Amino acid sequence: MASNAYADLAQEYYDPFHKTCRNFDAATKSALARKTFALPDAGLILEVGCGRGRCQEFLGVDKNRVVQLDSSREMLDLTDRESALVRILANAACVPLFDSQFSAVVGFLVDSFIGLCFFAEAYRLLLPGGMLLVTTPASEWGQALRGQQEPEVSSARFVTKTGQAVFVPSTLIASARILEMLSYCGFQSISIDTAPLPVGIEPISADVERAACIYGVAVHELPLVYLINATKPG
Amino acid sequence: MLATLARWFGIRTRRTFRLAVRGMSIFIAACGVFAVNLLMELHKFWWAAVPSAVLVIVAIVEFVLADYLAERSYPIATEQKLDLLERQLGKDAVAILARKLDRTIQSFQACDKSKISGTIHIVVELLPLPELKTRRGLLQLTDYVGPYGGSKGRITTLEKGIVGRCARTGKMESVNFDDVPEYRRRMVEEFGFTREEAEMHTRVAKSYLAEPLRLSGAIIGVLYFFSTEAQVFPFASSQSHLESQAQDFVDVLKTVSIV
């Protein structure tokens, strides 16, 4: 079980106070609206790093198809949450479930556990023909703010409402490397779309503005989220 | 503290440790003899007792204490391996192993190879303890290849770390840490280290892999890699590829008479 870095953050993670997360939500919604993909209309859906659950909000799927998984007990314990078939406390890179049981593995902002092990695990859990659909912060955005040095490069800093700084694992991977990882794991029909912050969204996070300023682009031109879609061969 | 001091002076083997102590003893003894003679000439007999005492202490250090410390820090069986490596085989063998480690790192896939470090450990006999008649450990045979890690000569017991676990189970072992707090906790809870020992290791690494080296069915060492990139192992290499790489290393070690 991973360390529970989100314990101090869970109660306020979905609060408008955390503007960067809300900007990511807006970019995710916009990317999903633009994307024409067909989520399998039958079978179980595993929502990894689910937090309070976003499957119904973002994808409109039936709650009886959704299995929520998170490594944070506090996140799974949030009362204001989407309903699901079952909740599982586990690391998304090491899921204690048998192979080939899900028609889709979905996750929104999976930067806390994205990597080769997670993709391999998602592949193992998917049925043949199953779909992987995840979003993660764009590496272009993060590199501008975090630089290249450990540990800053692999952690995200949240400032809570009480002013406490909380660091959580956050790996940002360039889209070309994500493509390489997915191909290596065996996925096909891979697409990685970049989504900026939609025009008209307010308030804009200072971290988004700062990154845009560093690159010398408008905030609505800055790559903010990757929408990753891939299929396990049937 | 002594080990840290020795490392600071570049002393990593029994031979260099003994040479260093012997050189220091000769120098101090020479100064002491000169001082005794000088004070005797000046008829300061009581004062001559001071450098004479120093001479006695130096003799005890050289002929008793240094041997005891060398034996404690650098057991003979382990030292023989290092001697073979350093004296008989020289830098060529180390370079061959380092190049091979680098080629293995370059063979990993779907990961950032520049973030991977690796080395070889071989199983060695350690001095027995009163409660443990036979005791084995793992000797780091080469300096790390890659951006992180320490130099050769480090010895860990089979009870500790992913390398020790691999040598015990005889299977490929991998572990991934999400962050430093998880690393600290699991190093103590799962990998047999004290908190202080865990703090001494490289904490920026996130993904670890250990592959056993076998000779005639027995575990003779461990190939060890770690990456500062998250979730690299075990998926960056297939099991069959790793096993074939491990066999190549065993062949090299056999050729250079390390095993």
Side-chain angles (χ1 to χ4, degrees):
Chain A
M1 178 66 58
S3 65
N4 194 351
Y6 279 87
D8 297 329
L9 207 56
Q11 287 301 327
E12 60 178 72
Y13 181 81
Y14 293 97
D15 195 281
F17 175 80
H18 293 288
K19 296 188 193 103
T20 310
C21 291
R22 302 296 74 80
N23 286 176
F24 282 136
D25 288 347
T28 298
K29 278 182 186 168
S30 161
L32 287 168
R34 280 190 283 118
K35 184 78 179 167
T36 52
F37 60 85
L39 201 68
D41 50 16
L44 291 173
I45 295 170
L46 179 67
E47 186 179 359
V48 290
C50 63
R52 72 176 186 192
R54 313 298 292 265
C55 256
Q56 287 146 57
E57 179 188 353
F58 287 158
L59 301 171
V61 293
D62 179 9
K63 66 179 182 183
N64 292 316
R65 292 180 63 197
V66 180
V67 173
Q68 294 179 337
L69 181 141
D70 205 304
S71 65
S72 166
R73 179 175 289 276
E74 286 75 10
M75 280 291 195
L76 283 175
D77 207 27
L78 289 173
T79 48
D80 179 20
R81 61 182 307 109
E82 290 187 352
S83 299
L85 196 63
V86 68
R87 281 176 282 168
I88 300 173
L89 179 65
N91 188 327
C94 185
V95 181
L97 294 173
F98 198 63
D99 308 354
S100 305
Q101 297 199 78
F102 296 92
S103 62
V105 172
V106 303
F108 303 102
L109 300 180
V110 298
D111 51 308
S112 62
F113 52 84
I114 194 171
L116 199 53
C117 294
F118 164 63
F119 288 136
E121 192 69 340
Y123 189 88
R124 181 183 71 80
L125 292 164
L126 281 170
L127 287 158
M131 178 190 281
L132 174 73
L133 178 70
V134 293
T135 66
T136 194
S139 69
E140 293 90 337
W141 165 78
Q143 275 171 8
L145 302 174
R146 296 185 191 176
Q148 300 286 331
Q149 295 302 309
E150 293 287 352
E152 290 80 12
V153 73
S154 58
S155 61
R157 187 178 70 108
F158 284 79
V159 178
T160 65
K161 288 176 173 177
T162 57
Q164 179 195 358
V166 175
F167 292 87
V168 296
S170 171
T171 303
L172 303 180
I173 309 173
S175 56
R177 175 59 53 75
I178 292 172
L179 188 67
E180 185 188 353
M181 287 175 170
L182 290 167
S183 301
Y184 178 69
C185 289
F187 282 103
Q188 291 179 347
S189 310
I190 302 163
S191 71
I192 302 172
D193 295 296
T194 305
L197 184 67
V199 176
I201 294 295
E202 291 290 341
I204 297 171
S205 158
D207 283 340
V208 176
E209 286 178 330
R210 193 149 61 92
C213 184
I214 289 167
Y215 284 120
V217 297
V219 285
H220 304 295
E221 292 169 0
L222 176 75
L224 199 58
V225 164
Y226 292 149
L227 177 64
I228 303 161
N229 186 204
T231 308
K232 180 174 178 175
Chain B
M1 196 181 76
L2 187 72
T4 310
L5 196 66
R7 274 200 298 275
W8 195 73
F9 281 107
I11 297 169
R12 292 195 174 83
T13 66
R14 180 197 186 97
R15 189 160 54 91
T16 49
F17 176 74
R18 284 302 284 118
L19 284 173
V21 173
R22 191 160 296 153
M24 194 176 67
S25 300
I26 289 169
F27 177 75
I28 295 171
C31 294
V33 168
F34 179 75
V36 169
N37 285 333
L38 192 68
L39 291 165
M40 294 289 265
E41 286 289 325
L42 296 169
H43 293 273
K44 293 184 175 177
F45 302 114
W46 282 109
W47 280 107
V50 176
S52 298
V54 171
L55 279 173
V56 171
I57 292 166
V58 166
I60 292 169
V61 167
E62 166 55 25
F63 294 109
V64 182
L65 198 62
D67 280 331
Y68 170 75
L69 287 173
E71 190 59 37
R72 215 180 99 174
S73 306
Y74 309 98
I76 287 168
T78 301
E79 190 62 21
Q80 282 168 350
K81 306 271 186 192
L82 273 175
D83 268 353
L84 274 170
L85 189 73
E86 292 199 339
R87 194 183 284 173
Q88 296 178 13
L89 308 165
K91 290 180 179 171
D92 286 350
V94 177
I96 289 168
L97 291 168
R99 278 201 300 272
K100 181 127 197 65
L101 276 168
D102 190 48
R103 279 202 298 274
T104 306
I105 289 171
Q106 296 310 318
S107 74
F108 291 134
Q109 295 183 65
C111 60
D112 187 345
K113 293 156 195 165
S114 70
K115 293 183 174 178
I116 300 175
S117 303
T119 187
I120 310 165
H121 295 264
I122 54 167
V123 176
V124 291
E125 295 295 324
L126 301 179
L127 284 182
L129 295 172
E131 68 276 14
L132 210 59
K133 296 296 177 207
T134 55
R135 204 159 66 101
R136 293 189 303 160
L138 285 156
L139 166 70
Q140 186 182 326
L141 202 56
T142 65
D143 291 346
Y144 273 94
V145 172
Y148 287 97
S151 51
K152 65 188 174 191
R154 192 169 63 112
I155 297 168
T156 51
T157 59
L158 288 195
E159 294 79 35
K160 291 185 178 179
I162 185 173
V163 184
R165 178 184 283 184
C166 176
R168 292 196 312 274
T169 62
K171 296 187 305 185
M172 184 270 284
E173 297 282 349
S174 68
V175 65
N176 289 281
F177 300 123
D178 285 343
D179 53 18
V180 175
E182 186 193 359
Y183 165 85
R184 286 189 179 123
R185 180 176 58 78
R186 292 181 66 188
M187 285 289 271
V188 175
E189 289 178 1
E190 293 179 35
F191 292 100
F193 290 104
T194 63
R195 285 183 200 286
E196 293 72 23
E197 287 169 333
E199 289 298 316
M200 287 166 68
H201 289 97
T202 305
R203 279 167 290 158
V204 288
K206 293 192 173 65
S207 191
Y208 298 78
L209 178 80
E211 172 70 17
L213 300 175
R214 290 175 189 277
L215 182 64
S216 307
I219 306 297
I220 52 116
V222 173
L223 260 184
Y224 176 58
F225 300 97
F226 67 82
S227 176
T228 53
E229 183 183 1
Q231 296 188 28
V232 170
F233 302 118
F235 294 102
S237 178
S238 69
Q239 183 60 38
S240 57
H241 176 69
L242 258 184
E243 284 170 4
S244 118
Q245 293 290 310
Q247 190 51 53
D248 288 350
F249 275 99
V250 172
D251 292 342
V252 173
L253 292 170
K254 266 165 65 183
T255 307
V256 297
S257 306
I258 290 290
V259 293

